[in-house]
Short mmCIF file of all heavy atoms in Angstrom, two decimals:
data_model
loop_
_atom_site.label_atom_id
_atom_site.label_comp_id
_atom_site.label_asym_id
_atom_site.label_seq_id
_atom_site.Cartn_x
_atom_site.Cartn_y
_atom_site.Cartn_z
N MET A 1 -96.70 80.78 124.33
CA MET A 1 -95.91 80.54 125.54
C MET A 1 -96.66 81.03 126.77
O MET A 1 -97.29 82.07 126.73
CB MET A 1 -94.56 81.27 125.44
CG MET A 1 -93.70 80.72 124.32
SD MET A 1 -93.18 78.98 124.60
CE MET A 1 -92.03 79.27 125.99
N ARG A 2 -96.55 80.26 127.80
CA ARG A 2 -97.21 80.69 129.04
C ARG A 2 -96.31 81.68 129.80
O ARG A 2 -95.09 81.52 129.77
CB ARG A 2 -97.46 79.48 129.94
CG ARG A 2 -98.50 78.53 129.37
CD ARG A 2 -98.77 77.39 130.37
NE ARG A 2 -99.77 76.45 129.86
CZ ARG A 2 -100.20 75.41 130.57
NH1 ARG A 2 -99.66 75.17 131.74
NH2 ARG A 2 -101.14 74.60 130.08
N PRO A 3 -96.91 82.64 130.40
CA PRO A 3 -96.13 83.55 131.24
C PRO A 3 -95.58 82.81 132.43
O PRO A 3 -96.17 81.84 132.92
CB PRO A 3 -97.14 84.61 131.68
CG PRO A 3 -98.47 83.94 131.57
CD PRO A 3 -98.32 82.96 130.42
N LYS A 4 -94.38 83.24 132.87
CA LYS A 4 -93.78 82.59 134.05
C LYS A 4 -94.62 82.85 135.28
O LYS A 4 -94.89 83.99 135.62
CB LYS A 4 -92.35 83.10 134.23
CG LYS A 4 -91.38 82.53 133.21
CD LYS A 4 -89.95 82.94 133.57
CE LYS A 4 -88.98 82.31 132.57
NZ LYS A 4 -87.58 82.67 132.91
N THR A 5 -94.94 81.81 135.93
CA THR A 5 -95.73 81.96 137.16
C THR A 5 -95.51 80.73 138.00
O THR A 5 -95.23 79.64 137.52
CB THR A 5 -97.20 82.14 136.88
OG1 THR A 5 -97.92 82.12 138.10
CG2 THR A 5 -97.73 81.01 136.02
N GLN A 6 -95.65 80.90 139.31
CA GLN A 6 -95.53 79.74 140.21
C GLN A 6 -96.85 79.00 140.33
O GLN A 6 -96.92 77.94 140.90
CB GLN A 6 -95.10 80.24 141.61
CG GLN A 6 -93.69 80.82 141.60
CD GLN A 6 -93.27 81.29 142.97
OE1 GLN A 6 -94.09 81.65 143.78
NE2 GLN A 6 -91.99 81.23 143.24
N ILE A 7 -97.86 79.61 139.77
CA ILE A 7 -99.18 79.01 139.89
C ILE A 7 -99.47 78.17 138.66
O ILE A 7 -99.41 78.65 137.54
CB ILE A 7 -100.26 80.08 140.04
CG1 ILE A 7 -99.99 80.87 141.33
CG2 ILE A 7 -101.64 79.45 140.08
CD1 ILE A 7 -100.99 82.01 141.53
N HIS A 8 -99.70 76.90 138.88
CA HIS A 8 -100.09 76.02 137.79
C HIS A 8 -101.56 75.69 137.90
O HIS A 8 -102.04 74.68 137.43
CB HIS A 8 -99.27 74.73 137.81
CG HIS A 8 -97.79 75.02 137.82
ND1 HIS A 8 -97.11 75.46 136.70
CD2 HIS A 8 -96.87 74.97 138.79
CE1 HIS A 8 -95.85 75.63 137.00
NE2 HIS A 8 -95.66 75.36 138.26
N PHE A 9 -102.22 76.57 138.58
CA PHE A 9 -103.62 76.36 138.89
C PHE A 9 -104.47 77.14 137.89
O PHE A 9 -104.25 78.31 137.63
CB PHE A 9 -103.89 76.85 140.31
CG PHE A 9 -105.31 76.77 140.72
CD1 PHE A 9 -105.92 75.55 140.83
CD2 PHE A 9 -106.02 77.90 141.02
CE1 PHE A 9 -107.25 75.48 141.20
CE2 PHE A 9 -107.34 77.85 141.42
CZ PHE A 9 -107.97 76.63 141.50
N ASP A 10 -105.39 76.49 137.29
CA ASP A 10 -106.22 77.11 136.28
C ASP A 10 -107.14 78.12 136.94
O ASP A 10 -107.98 77.76 137.76
CB ASP A 10 -107.01 76.04 135.55
CG ASP A 10 -107.80 76.65 134.40
OD1 ASP A 10 -107.84 77.89 134.26
OD2 ASP A 10 -108.41 75.87 133.63
N PRO A 11 -107.00 79.38 136.62
CA PRO A 11 -107.83 80.41 137.26
C PRO A 11 -109.32 80.14 137.05
O PRO A 11 -110.14 80.50 137.94
CB PRO A 11 -107.41 81.70 136.56
CG PRO A 11 -106.05 81.42 136.05
CD PRO A 11 -106.02 79.95 135.70
N SER A 12 -109.69 79.56 135.95
CA SER A 12 -111.10 79.35 135.72
C SER A 12 -111.69 78.33 136.69
O SER A 12 -112.89 78.28 136.91
CB SER A 12 -111.31 78.84 134.27
OG SER A 12 -110.74 77.55 134.11
N THR A 13 -110.80 77.53 137.30
CA THR A 13 -111.27 76.55 138.27
C THR A 13 -111.71 77.24 139.55
O THR A 13 -112.53 76.72 140.29
CB THR A 13 -110.16 75.54 138.59
OG1 THR A 13 -109.72 74.97 137.36
CG2 THR A 13 -110.65 74.42 139.49
N ALA A 14 -111.16 78.41 139.80
CA ALA A 14 -111.49 79.10 141.04
C ALA A 14 -113.00 79.41 141.11
O ALA A 14 -113.58 79.43 142.19
CB ALA A 14 -110.71 80.43 141.12
N ALA A 15 -113.58 79.62 139.97
CA ALA A 15 -115.01 79.96 139.94
C ALA A 15 -115.85 78.76 140.41
O ALA A 15 -117.01 78.94 140.75
CB ALA A 15 -115.41 80.40 138.55
N GLN A 16 -115.25 77.59 140.36
CA GLN A 16 -116.00 76.40 140.74
C GLN A 16 -115.79 76.03 142.20
O GLN A 16 -116.40 75.09 142.71
CB GLN A 16 -115.59 75.20 139.86
CG GLN A 16 -115.75 75.50 138.36
CD GLN A 16 -115.22 74.39 137.52
OE1 GLN A 16 -115.02 73.25 138.00
NE2 GLN A 16 -114.95 74.64 136.26
N LEU A 17 -114.91 76.77 142.84
CA LEU A 17 -114.61 76.48 144.23
C LEU A 17 -115.37 77.43 145.14
O LEU A 17 -115.73 78.52 144.76
CB LEU A 17 -113.10 76.64 144.48
CG LEU A 17 -112.23 75.70 143.62
CD1 LEU A 17 -110.76 76.02 143.87
CD2 LEU A 17 -112.53 74.26 143.94
N ALA A 18 -115.57 76.96 146.38
CA ALA A 18 -116.26 77.80 147.34
C ALA A 18 -115.46 77.86 148.62
O ALA A 18 -114.74 76.94 148.98
CB ALA A 18 -117.64 77.22 147.62
N CYS A 19 -115.57 78.96 149.31
CA CYS A 19 -114.89 79.12 150.59
C CYS A 19 -115.45 78.10 151.57
O CYS A 19 -116.63 78.01 151.77
CB CYS A 19 -115.15 80.54 151.08
SG CYS A 19 -114.54 80.84 152.76
N PRO A 20 -114.55 77.30 152.19
CA PRO A 20 -115.01 76.28 153.15
C PRO A 20 -115.58 76.90 154.42
O PRO A 20 -116.28 76.23 155.17
CB PRO A 20 -113.76 75.45 153.43
CG PRO A 20 -112.62 76.36 153.12
CD PRO A 20 -113.10 77.27 152.02
N ALA A 21 -115.29 78.15 154.64
CA ALA A 21 -115.76 78.77 155.88
C ALA A 21 -117.15 79.37 155.70
O ALA A 21 -118.01 79.22 156.57
CB ALA A 21 -114.80 79.89 156.31
N CYS A 22 -117.40 80.01 154.56
CA CYS A 22 -118.67 80.69 154.38
C CYS A 22 -119.33 80.34 153.05
O CYS A 22 -120.43 80.82 152.77
CB CYS A 22 -118.48 82.19 154.50
SG CYS A 22 -117.68 82.93 153.07
N LEU A 23 -118.66 79.49 152.24
CA LEU A 23 -119.20 79.09 150.97
C LEU A 23 -119.30 80.24 149.98
O LEU A 23 -120.05 80.18 149.01
CB LEU A 23 -120.57 78.41 151.11
CG LEU A 23 -120.58 77.16 152.03
CD1 LEU A 23 -121.98 76.53 152.04
CD2 LEU A 23 -119.55 76.13 151.57
N GLY A 24 -118.53 81.28 150.26
CA GLY A 24 -118.55 82.41 149.32
C GLY A 24 -117.70 82.12 148.09
O GLY A 24 -117.00 81.13 148.02
N ASN A 25 -117.83 82.96 147.13
CA ASN A 25 -117.07 82.79 145.90
C ASN A 25 -115.59 83.14 146.12
O ASN A 25 -115.27 84.09 146.85
CB ASN A 25 -117.62 83.70 144.80
CG ASN A 25 -119.00 83.26 144.35
OD1 ASN A 25 -119.31 82.08 144.34
ND2 ASN A 25 -119.84 84.22 144.01
N LEU A 26 -114.71 82.39 145.45
CA LEU A 26 -113.29 82.63 145.58
C LEU A 26 -112.76 83.26 144.31
O LEU A 26 -113.18 82.91 143.21
CB LEU A 26 -112.56 81.28 145.83
CG LEU A 26 -112.93 80.60 147.12
CD1 LEU A 26 -112.26 79.24 147.17
CD2 LEU A 26 -112.54 81.43 148.33
N SER A 27 -111.86 84.20 144.47
CA SER A 27 -111.23 84.81 143.33
C SER A 27 -109.73 84.60 143.43
O SER A 27 -109.16 84.62 144.53
CB SER A 27 -111.55 86.29 143.26
OG SER A 27 -111.10 86.98 144.42
N LEU A 28 -109.09 84.40 142.31
CA LEU A 28 -107.66 84.12 142.28
C LEU A 28 -106.84 85.39 142.42
O LEU A 28 -107.02 86.31 141.64
CB LEU A 28 -107.30 83.39 141.00
CG LEU A 28 -105.86 82.92 140.89
CD1 LEU A 28 -105.56 81.89 141.97
CD2 LEU A 28 -105.63 82.34 139.53
N SER A 29 -106.01 85.42 143.43
CA SER A 29 -105.09 86.53 143.59
C SER A 29 -103.72 86.10 143.11
O SER A 29 -103.59 85.09 142.42
CB SER A 29 -105.05 86.95 145.05
OG SER A 29 -104.19 88.05 145.24
N ALA A 30 -102.69 86.84 143.46
CA ALA A 30 -101.36 86.54 142.98
C ALA A 30 -100.93 85.14 143.35
O ALA A 30 -100.53 84.33 142.53
CB ALA A 30 -100.37 87.55 143.51
N THR A 31 -101.02 84.80 144.64
CA THR A 31 -100.55 83.51 145.11
C THR A 31 -101.56 82.84 146.00
O THR A 31 -101.24 81.89 146.70
CB THR A 31 -99.25 83.69 145.91
OG1 THR A 31 -99.48 84.59 146.98
CG2 THR A 31 -98.13 84.20 145.03
N ARG A 32 -102.77 83.34 146.01
CA ARG A 32 -103.74 82.72 146.88
C ARG A 32 -105.14 82.96 146.36
O ARG A 32 -105.37 83.73 145.41
CB ARG A 32 -103.63 83.29 148.29
CG ARG A 32 -103.51 84.79 148.37
CD ARG A 32 -103.31 85.25 149.80
NE ARG A 32 -102.03 84.86 150.34
CZ ARG A 32 -101.00 85.69 150.47
NH1 ARG A 32 -101.12 86.93 150.15
NH2 ARG A 32 -99.86 85.28 150.97
N LEU A 33 -106.08 82.25 146.97
CA LEU A 33 -107.47 82.43 146.62
C LEU A 33 -108.13 83.28 147.69
O LEU A 33 -108.01 83.00 148.88
CB LEU A 33 -108.17 81.07 146.53
CG LEU A 33 -107.82 80.24 145.30
CD1 LEU A 33 -108.33 78.82 145.47
CD2 LEU A 33 -108.44 80.84 144.04
N ILE A 34 -108.79 84.32 147.28
CA ILE A 34 -109.42 85.23 148.22
C ILE A 34 -110.91 85.04 148.19
O ILE A 34 -111.55 85.01 147.14
CB ILE A 34 -109.09 86.72 147.85
CG1 ILE A 34 -107.59 86.89 147.63
CG2 ILE A 34 -109.64 87.64 148.94
CD1 ILE A 34 -106.78 86.68 148.86
N CYS A 35 -111.50 84.91 149.36
CA CYS A 35 -112.94 84.78 149.45
C CYS A 35 -113.55 86.18 149.34
O CYS A 35 -113.19 87.10 150.07
CB CYS A 35 -113.35 84.14 150.78
SG CYS A 35 -115.14 84.09 151.00
N ALA A 36 -114.52 86.27 148.44
CA ALA A 36 -115.13 87.61 148.23
C ALA A 36 -116.09 87.94 149.34
O ALA A 36 -116.45 89.10 149.52
CB ALA A 36 -115.86 87.61 146.87
N SER A 37 -116.52 86.93 150.08
CA SER A 37 -117.53 87.18 151.12
C SER A 37 -116.90 87.51 152.47
O SER A 37 -117.23 88.49 153.09
CB SER A 37 -118.44 85.98 151.23
OG SER A 37 -119.19 85.80 150.04
N CYS A 38 -115.97 86.63 152.92
CA CYS A 38 -115.44 86.83 154.27
C CYS A 38 -114.00 87.34 154.22
O CYS A 38 -113.46 87.75 155.25
CB CYS A 38 -115.48 85.52 155.05
SG CYS A 38 -114.35 84.25 154.48
N GLY A 39 -113.37 87.36 153.05
CA GLY A 39 -112.05 87.95 152.93
C GLY A 39 -110.93 87.02 153.31
O GLY A 39 -109.76 87.43 153.29
N ARG A 40 -111.22 85.78 153.67
CA ARG A 40 -110.15 84.86 153.98
C ARG A 40 -109.30 84.61 152.73
O ARG A 40 -109.82 84.57 151.63
CB ARG A 40 -110.69 83.54 154.52
CG ARG A 40 -111.22 83.61 155.94
CD ARG A 40 -111.70 82.25 156.39
NE ARG A 40 -112.01 82.20 157.81
CZ ARG A 40 -113.17 82.60 158.31
NH1 ARG A 40 -114.13 83.00 157.52
NH2 ARG A 40 -113.40 82.55 159.61
N ALA A 41 -107.99 84.37 152.99
CA ALA A 41 -107.10 84.10 151.87
C ALA A 41 -106.55 82.69 152.01
O ALA A 41 -105.92 82.33 153.02
CB ALA A 41 -105.98 85.12 151.86
N TYR A 42 -106.75 81.87 151.01
CA TYR A 42 -106.28 80.49 151.04
C TYR A 42 -105.04 80.36 150.19
O TYR A 42 -105.03 80.76 149.02
CB TYR A 42 -107.40 79.57 150.52
CG TYR A 42 -108.61 79.60 151.40
CD1 TYR A 42 -109.64 80.49 151.14
CD2 TYR A 42 -108.70 78.77 152.51
CE1 TYR A 42 -110.74 80.53 151.97
CE2 TYR A 42 -109.79 78.82 153.34
CZ TYR A 42 -110.84 79.71 153.07
OH TYR A 42 -111.89 79.77 153.89
N PRO A 43 -103.99 79.82 150.77
CA PRO A 43 -102.72 79.70 150.04
C PRO A 43 -102.83 78.66 148.93
O PRO A 43 -103.61 77.71 149.02
CB PRO A 43 -101.73 79.26 151.12
CG PRO A 43 -102.55 78.55 152.15
CD PRO A 43 -103.90 79.26 152.13
N ILE A 44 -102.02 78.82 147.91
CA ILE A 44 -101.93 77.85 146.83
C ILE A 44 -100.55 77.23 146.93
O ILE A 44 -99.53 77.89 146.76
CB ILE A 44 -102.13 78.48 145.46
CG1 ILE A 44 -103.53 79.10 145.40
CG2 ILE A 44 -101.95 77.47 144.36
CD1 ILE A 44 -103.78 79.90 144.12
N VAL A 45 -100.50 75.94 147.26
CA VAL A 45 -99.25 75.24 147.46
C VAL A 45 -99.04 74.25 146.32
O VAL A 45 -99.86 73.38 146.11
CB VAL A 45 -99.24 74.50 148.80
CG1 VAL A 45 -97.92 73.78 149.01
CG2 VAL A 45 -99.50 75.49 149.96
N ASP A 46 -97.92 74.43 145.63
CA ASP A 46 -97.61 73.54 144.50
C ASP A 46 -98.73 73.49 143.49
O ASP A 46 -99.02 72.45 142.93
CB ASP A 46 -97.25 72.13 145.03
CG ASP A 46 -95.98 72.10 145.82
OD1 ASP A 46 -95.13 72.98 145.58
OD2 ASP A 46 -95.83 71.24 146.69
N GLY A 47 -99.37 74.62 143.33
CA GLY A 47 -100.44 74.69 142.32
C GLY A 47 -101.75 74.17 142.79
O GLY A 47 -102.72 74.12 142.02
N ILE A 48 -101.82 73.79 144.07
CA ILE A 48 -103.06 73.24 144.58
C ILE A 48 -103.60 74.17 145.67
O ILE A 48 -102.89 74.43 146.65
CB ILE A 48 -102.84 71.83 145.17
CG1 ILE A 48 -102.29 70.89 144.09
CG2 ILE A 48 -104.14 71.28 145.77
CD1 ILE A 48 -101.91 69.54 144.64
N PRO A 49 -104.80 74.67 145.51
CA PRO A 49 -105.36 75.54 146.53
C PRO A 49 -105.65 74.78 147.80
O PRO A 49 -106.22 73.68 147.76
CB PRO A 49 -106.64 76.08 145.89
CG PRO A 49 -107.00 75.09 144.83
CD PRO A 49 -105.70 74.48 144.36
N VAL A 50 -105.22 75.34 148.92
CA VAL A 50 -105.45 74.71 150.22
C VAL A 50 -106.69 75.29 150.82
O VAL A 50 -106.67 76.32 151.49
CB VAL A 50 -104.24 74.90 151.15
CG1 VAL A 50 -104.48 74.18 152.48
CG2 VAL A 50 -102.97 74.39 150.49
N LEU A 51 -107.80 74.64 150.56
CA LEU A 51 -109.07 75.16 151.01
C LEU A 51 -109.43 74.59 152.38
O LEU A 51 -110.35 73.80 152.54
CB LEU A 51 -110.17 74.85 150.00
CG LEU A 51 -109.96 75.52 148.63
CD1 LEU A 51 -111.07 75.13 147.67
CD2 LEU A 51 -109.89 77.04 148.77
N ILE A 52 -108.65 75.00 153.35
CA ILE A 52 -108.87 74.57 154.73
C ILE A 52 -109.02 75.83 155.58
O ILE A 52 -108.12 76.67 155.59
CB ILE A 52 -107.70 73.72 155.25
CG1 ILE A 52 -107.51 72.53 154.33
CG2 ILE A 52 -107.98 73.29 156.69
CD1 ILE A 52 -106.28 71.68 154.70
N ALA A 53 -110.15 75.94 156.25
CA ALA A 53 -110.43 77.16 156.97
C ALA A 53 -109.34 77.48 157.99
O ALA A 53 -108.97 78.64 158.21
CB ALA A 53 -111.79 77.06 157.65
N GLU A 54 -108.81 76.44 158.63
CA GLU A 54 -107.78 76.66 159.64
C GLU A 54 -106.46 77.16 159.04
O GLU A 54 -105.64 77.72 159.73
CB GLU A 54 -107.52 75.38 160.42
CG GLU A 54 -108.65 74.99 161.37
CD GLU A 54 -109.86 74.41 160.64
OE1 GLU A 54 -109.69 74.06 159.45
OE2 GLU A 54 -110.95 74.35 161.20
N ARG A 55 -106.30 76.87 157.77
CA ARG A 55 -105.05 77.30 157.10
C ARG A 55 -105.19 78.65 156.46
O ARG A 55 -104.21 79.23 155.97
CB ARG A 55 -104.70 76.26 156.03
CG ARG A 55 -104.28 74.92 156.59
CD ARG A 55 -102.85 74.93 157.09
NE ARG A 55 -101.90 75.30 156.05
CZ ARG A 55 -101.37 74.46 155.17
NH1 ARG A 55 -101.68 73.20 155.20
NH2 ARG A 55 -100.54 74.87 154.25
N ALA A 56 -106.37 79.14 156.42
CA ALA A 56 -106.59 80.42 155.73
C ALA A 56 -105.99 81.58 156.53
O ALA A 56 -105.92 81.53 157.75
CB ALA A 56 -108.10 80.65 155.55
N GLU A 57 -105.60 82.57 155.78
CA GLU A 57 -105.13 83.79 156.43
C GLU A 57 -106.34 84.62 156.81
O GLU A 57 -107.32 84.65 156.07
CB GLU A 57 -104.23 84.54 155.48
CG GLU A 57 -102.99 83.75 155.10
CD GLU A 57 -102.15 84.53 154.08
OE1 GLU A 57 -102.36 85.73 153.95
OE2 GLU A 57 -101.29 83.90 153.45
N ALA A 58 -106.21 85.31 157.92
CA ALA A 58 -107.31 86.14 158.38
C ALA A 58 -107.56 87.24 157.36
O ALA A 58 -106.66 87.65 156.64
CB ALA A 58 -106.99 86.74 159.74
N PRO A 59 -108.81 87.66 157.30
CA PRO A 59 -109.14 88.74 156.38
C PRO A 59 -108.27 89.95 156.65
O PRO A 59 -108.06 90.37 157.79
CB PRO A 59 -110.60 89.02 156.66
CG PRO A 59 -111.14 87.78 157.30
CD PRO A 59 -109.97 87.18 158.04
N THR A 60 -107.78 90.52 155.57
CA THR A 60 -106.93 91.70 155.72
C THR A 60 -107.81 92.94 155.76
O THR A 60 -108.70 93.11 154.97
CB THR A 60 -105.96 91.80 154.54
OG1 THR A 60 -106.71 91.79 153.33
CG2 THR A 60 -105.00 90.63 154.55
N ARG A 61 -107.52 93.73 156.74
CA ARG A 61 -108.29 94.96 156.87
C ARG A 61 -107.53 96.12 156.22
O ARG A 61 -106.32 96.12 156.20
CB ARG A 61 -108.54 95.28 158.35
CG ARG A 61 -109.38 94.23 159.02
CD ARG A 61 -109.57 94.58 160.50
NE ARG A 61 -110.35 93.55 161.18
CZ ARG A 61 -110.64 93.64 162.49
NH1 ARG A 61 -110.22 94.66 163.19
NH2 ARG A 61 -111.35 92.68 163.05
N ALA A 62 -108.27 97.05 155.76
CA ALA A 62 -107.66 98.22 155.17
C ALA A 62 -106.96 99.03 156.26
O ALA A 62 -107.61 99.52 157.19
CB ALA A 62 -108.69 99.08 154.46
N GLU A 63 -105.67 99.12 156.14
CA GLU A 63 -104.92 99.84 157.16
C GLU A 63 -104.67 101.28 156.66
O GLU A 63 -104.41 101.50 155.49
CB GLU A 63 -103.60 99.16 157.45
CG GLU A 63 -103.80 97.76 158.01
CD GLU A 63 -102.46 97.13 158.34
OE1 GLU A 63 -101.45 97.83 158.24
OE2 GLU A 63 -102.43 95.92 158.65
N PRO A 64 -104.72 102.20 157.58
CA PRO A 64 -104.40 103.59 157.19
C PRO A 64 -102.93 103.68 156.82
O PRO A 64 -102.11 102.96 157.38
CB PRO A 64 -104.71 104.41 158.45
CG PRO A 64 -104.61 103.42 159.56
CD PRO A 64 -105.05 102.10 158.99
N PRO A 65 -102.57 104.48 155.87
CA PRO A 65 -101.18 104.63 155.45
C PRO A 65 -100.31 105.12 156.60
O PRO A 65 -100.72 105.99 157.37
CB PRO A 65 -101.23 105.66 154.32
CG PRO A 65 -102.52 106.39 154.53
CD PRO A 65 -103.46 105.40 155.16
N ARG A 66 -99.13 104.50 156.68
CA ARG A 66 -98.22 104.89 157.75
C ARG A 66 -97.47 106.17 157.36
O ARG A 66 -96.95 106.25 156.26
CB ARG A 66 -97.25 103.77 158.04
CG ARG A 66 -97.95 102.54 158.57
CD ARG A 66 -96.96 101.41 158.75
NE ARG A 66 -97.64 100.18 159.20
CZ ARG A 66 -97.01 99.00 159.30
NH1 ARG A 66 -95.72 98.94 159.02
NH2 ARG A 66 -97.65 97.95 159.71
N GLU A 67 -97.40 107.04 158.30
CA GLU A 67 -96.69 108.28 158.01
C GLU A 67 -95.60 108.53 159.03
O GLU A 67 -95.68 108.03 160.13
CB GLU A 67 -97.67 109.46 158.04
CG GLU A 67 -98.76 109.32 156.99
CD GLU A 67 -99.67 110.54 157.02
OE1 GLU A 67 -99.28 111.57 157.64
OE2 GLU A 67 -100.75 110.49 156.43
ZN1 ZN B 101 -115.40 82.97 152.98
#
């Protein structure tokens, strides 16, 4: 049985994809593809990764913990 997930995207396919912005390697996160080079996050919609630079989320920076 497959685990319940909203992603119907084969994680192994991520290795064959490249970041459209920098051509870096993409790694599959919970609900998006993360570029290992520039840190952009590409959403996965209906199981299909949206590899459009304009649609990518800006790289997330490490924020200091809020106190
Ligand atoms: Zn990139």
Side-chain angles (χ1 to χ4, degrees):
M1 295 295 290
R2 292 183 179 181
K4 286 187 177 181
T5 173
Q6 294 180 331
I7 299 178
H8 305 286
F9 176 65
D10 185 353
S12 66
T13 306
Q16 304 175 17
L17 300 175
C19 173
C22 74
L23 302 182
N25 292 326
L26 297 174
S27 61
L28 185 63
S29 181
T31 57
R32 47 182 68 104
L33 287 168
I34 310 295
C35 175
S37 295
C38 70
R40 286 182 171 85
Y42 297 91
I44 298 174
V45 180
D46 293 335
I48 301 173
V50 182
L51 296 179
I52 302 174
E54 288 76 14
R55 291 282 302 275
E57 298 177 16
T60 55
R61 296 179 182 179
E63 298 182 8
R66 296 175 183 174
E67 299 183 13

